[in-house]
Amino acid sequence: IEVQYGGGSALFGSGAIGGTIHLNNKPEFNKGIQAGVSTSYGSFERWHQTLDLKISRKKIVSSLKLYNYSAENNFPFINTALPGNPEVRQRNARVEQQGLLFENYFKIKQNQQLDLRLWLQDNFRQVPPSMLGYSSIATLENRFTRIAGQWKRAGRKATLFVRSAYFNEFLPYSDSLINIHANSHFQSSITEVESNIYLTNNQLLNIGINNTYNLANSDGYENTPTQNRTALFASYKLQNQPGSWKGVACIRQEAIKKSLMPVMPSIGVEGSVVKGVKVKANISRNYRVPTFNDLYWRPGGNPDLKPESEWSEELSVIVNKPIKNTIHDFGLTFFNSNVNNRILWLPYSGYWTPRNIQAIWSRGLECQLKSSLKVGQVRVELSMLYNYVVSTNEKASSINDNSLKKQLIYVPIYSGQGVLALYYRKLYLNYIHNYVGNRFTSTDNTAYIEAYQLGHITLSQNFSYTKFRFNLHVKVNNLWNESYQVVLWQAMPLRNYQAGISVYFNQ
């Protein structure tokens, strides 16, 4: 799992405004037979089991992963919405999840590889009531099938990728109390051709074309909407020499239903100023097209919505300073983004409808500190993260709009995290402390959810026996028994526990 921060619409298209998450499993050939099984049990009848089987030969890798998760989530909590703040138990909050991931990698030739993947998953969850005391028997399911394939041919001067994927997703929702039984069915097909061309030893050109077709069938839509998106993208990377300055320029042009989107460019540079000090800077234009619900939901959908558009800039300074047995990394990032045509749902003639109303200005800084110290066989690592974010509405939706120049709801101005980890031989101790500041729940900033702090601690022990490796772990969540809310009047559990064992085999 890799998180790419910052706007990425130039390469990845709609929705990559704040960042992108990449899920990549990289095969290792000729590693023999591997197997793993794990199970854990925690508070509120929380069970988690996984099984992993892999056959790795010279020209083929085949992997099967099975997983199952269930939890009653009937945790006790302090209900601050009721008189006397009584301790009550959560209701109608059961969660179930089962799935499998089947992957196959074939070396057709020395320079050619074929990858085939199948991902099946079935999610079921009950929708719990709020802390205000309302009853709920609502349920929501999410069943999906995802099939993906890739052919890769690596040459001396260029590498070619051909990818294709099909997604099929069902979302049944049921609430007998208000007599709602709704079904939604979504299908997507994605085809992409991409090539990396090595112009010289320090110059790389990336070009590609992507086509994405979406189809939806929902009880909330009058018809069966479709969307066809075709995009051309390219990037050019120049690196002076290894460990020195490098720059990347990207551009994307996308057409949706025969209408051209604005050109999406981005440019970034990275390099060392002096020994141990690195600077990063980038600027990008990003966008997000309206969802099917925004366009077609009945009643209220607005087919005339424009895509959200954003310009974002970042500047980072990273300092690396080794001192005797310690290593210190310090990073400071300044960021700024301006979003126009922000889509906002507003009440209109008895129902809600989306409009291009808001202009959002987000700016702030992120500060990171990492230190590592080794004394004998003990290694201590400390990392800290601090965020300061001001995100305000810069455009009034009406004459009496009190949200102008006010912080967006649920966006904390202050937040941070600290992680302390200790390693001794095969013993591992980890403590995480999170802080989330006040978050406004009204657009005029008159109501808010109070700040909270959470601590989590994990103790883990590894050991081996012949060809088997074992891992035992114990975890305490919400160590300080904090009563808190992430979303207004939605309960969160107090202190809870989890323990598990994993067994790995390699032949």
Side-chain angles (χ1 to χ4, degrees):
I1 299 176
E2 179 184 353
V3 179
Q4 180 173 324
Y5 295 96
S9 293
L11 286 178
F12 307 109
S14 170
I17 288 181
T20 52
I21 299 174
H22 302 276
L23 305 178
N24 293 309
N25 287 346
K26 298 179 181 180
E28 292 183 301
F29 289 89
N30 209 25
K31 294 293 183 178
I33 298 176
Q34 299 171 317
V37 61
S38 67
T39 183
S40 66
Y41 178 76
S43 304
F44 326 124
E45 300 184 44
R46 182 170 55 205
W47 282 99
H48 189 202
Q49 302 93 22
T50 65
L51 175 65
D52 186 353
L53 302 173
K54 183 184 294 183
I55 299 175
S56 175
R57 300 303 186 192
K58 187 175 181 180
K59 292 189 175 182
I60 183 173
V61 174
S62 186
S63 170
L64 175 64
K65 297 179 176 68
L66 303 172
Y67 52 93
N68 176 71
Y69 173 79
S70 65
E72 288 295 332
N73 281 332
N74 54 347
F75 54 83
F77 65 94
I78 306 299
N79 194 334
T80 56
L82 298 180
N85 299 335
E87 182 176 294
V88 298
R89 282 196 172 271
Q90 181 68 289
R91 297 166 292 155
N92 199 62
R94 179 172 176 78
V95 176
E96 296 179 9
Q97 181 185 90
Q98 300 86 30
L100 69 84
L101 181 61
F102 185 43
E103 300 177 287
N104 296 277
Y105 305 89
F106 306 94
K107 276 191 177 180
I108 303 173
K109 295 182 179 179
Q110 187 63 30
N111 65 338
Q112 294 187 48
Q113 183 174 308
L114 178 65
D115 306 340
L116 299 173
R117 299 181 176 95
L118 171 66
W119 186 3
L120 305 177
Q121 189 163 295
D122 189 349
N123 303 303
F124 169 85
R125 71 180 182 94
Q126 297 174 322
V127 182
S130 74
M131 296 171 65
L132 297 173
Y134 304 123
S135 298
S136 175
I137 57 172
T139 61
L140 175 65
E141 294 184 65
N142 181 4
R143 302 190 298 270
F144 66 73
T145 301
R146 297 174 182 172
I147 304 171
Q150 175 182 275
W151 175 73
K152 172 186 175 182
R153 185 185 186 278
R156 210 163 47 89
K157 289 291 186 180
T159 301
L160 179 65
F161 302 89
V162 179
R163 307 182 182 97
S164 185
Y166 170 72
F167 299 162
N168 190 20
E169 188 166 0
F170 295 89
L171 287 165
Y173 175 83
S174 177
D175 190 344
S176 300
L177 283 181
I178 53 178
N179 197 29
I180 290 181
H181 303 279
N183 293 289
S184 298
H185 180 203
F186 303 97
Q187 298 181 74
S188 299
S189 65
I190 305 170
T191 304
E192 184 173 274
V193 179
E194 180 182 5
S195 180
N196 292 331
I197 304 169
Y198 305 94
L199 303 176
T200 63
N201 290 335
N202 61 347
Q203 296 183 75
L204 175 65
L205 177 65
N206 170 261
I207 57 175
I209 182 172
N210 176 286
N211 179 262
T212 301
Y213 178 79
N214 298 310
L215 180 148
N217 191 332
S218 173
D219 294 341
Y221 305 151
E222 185 175 355
N223 300 308
T224 303
T226 62
Q227 183 185 79
N228 192 70
R229 294 158 48 185
T230 302
L232 297 172
F233 59 90
S235 69
Y236 171 74
K237 181 179 180 180
L238 173 64
Q239 184 160 357
N240 187 18
Q241 44 185 283
S244 184
W245 286 86
K246 62 182 178 181
V248 180
C250 309
I251 191 168
R252 185 184 186 96
Q253 175 69 77
E254 186 161 352
I256 301 177
K257 288 191 173 181
K258 300 180 180 179
S259 298
L260 284 178
M261 301 293 296
V263 175
M264 296 292 145
S266 71
I267 186 169
V269 293
E270 175 184 338
S272 297
V273 181
V274 295
K275 185 178 179 180
V277 180
K278 183 186 293 185
V279 173
K280 294 182 181 180
N282 67 71
I283 180 172
S284 64
R285 187 180 187 182
N286 306 284
Y287 71 104
R288 186 183 77 88
V289 299
T291 65
F292 278 176
N293 281 354
D294 293 332
L295 297 170
Y296 307 116
W297 190 260
R298 181 183 56 179
N302 184 356
D304 298 322
L305 287 173
K306 299 176 182 179
E308 296 179 357
S309 178
E310 179 215 45
W311 280 99
S312 66
E313 304 85 29
E314 285 186 11
L315 175 64
S316 300
V317 180
I318 302 164
V319 180
N320 178 270
K321 190 71 174 176
I323 304 176
K324 291 186 179 180
N325 294 329
T326 65
I327 299 176
H328 303 282
D329 287 297
F330 174 77
L332 189 63
T333 299
F334 301 89
F335 63 89
N336 179 81
S337 73
N338 297 88
V339 181
N340 292 314
N341 292 322
R342 174 72 178 266
I343 297 173
L344 183 68
W345 284 72
L346 298 169
Y348 176 78
S349 297
Y351 57 86
W352 291 68
T353 186
R355 297 181 184 180
N356 292 111
I357 295 293
Q358 289 185 317
I360 305 301
W361 180 22
S362 294
R363 61 278 191 197
L365 62 87
E366 178 181 274
C367 181
Q368 288 183 303
L369 173 64
K370 294 182 180 180
S371 294
S372 177
L373 169 66
K374 188 171 184 180
V375 180
Q377 296 185 13
V378 179
R379 188 169 89 253
V380 181
E381 294 182 357
L382 173 66
S383 62
M384 301 181 70
L385 173 67
Y386 169 76
N387 288 297
Y388 172 75
V389 180
V390 179
S391 190
T392 54
N393 176 30
E394 299 296 309
K395 181 180 177 181
S397 59
S398 63
I399 297 177
N400 298 319
D401 187 0
N402 294 324
S403 69
L404 189 63
K405 304 294 183 180
K406 301 295 176 60
Q407 182 81 356
L408 296 185
I409 63 172
Y410 288 109
V411 179
I413 298 177
Y414 308 101
S415 62
Q417 182 187 77
V419 180
L420 178 64
L422 290 91
Y423 302 83
Y424 175 70
R425 294 183 177 178
K426 295 184 178 182
L427 183 68
Y428 170 67
L429 180 65
N430 173 276
Y431 175 75
I432 301 175
H433 194 89
N434 290 308
Y435 171 80
V436 178
N438 294 340
R439 288 141 296 135
F440 295 107
T441 57
S442 62
T443 56
D444 62 358
N445 290 180
T446 58
Y448 63 90
I449 303 177
E450 292 185 353
Y452 64 86
Q453 300 187 56
L454 297 178
H456 313 284
I457 190 167
T458 301
L459 179 64
S460 175
Q461 173 71 58
N462 294 315
F463 58 94
S464 303
Y465 178 74
T466 63
K467 296 179 180 180
F468 292 88
R469 291 183 296 114
F470 300 85
N471 172 267
L472 297 172
H473 71 268
V474 178
K475 185 175 183 179
V476 183
N477 300 302
N478 195 357
L479 180 65
W480 312 115
N481 213 33
E482 178 89 348
S483 179
Y484 68 104
Q485 297 175 37
V486 176
V487 177
L488 184 63
W489 303 130
Q490 297 298 318
M492 298 298 293
L494 300 172
R495 184 186 300 117
N496 58 94
Y497 309 89
Q498 183 178 342
I501 181 172
S502 300
V503 183
Y504 305 95
F505 170 81
N506 188 197
Q507 174 65 56

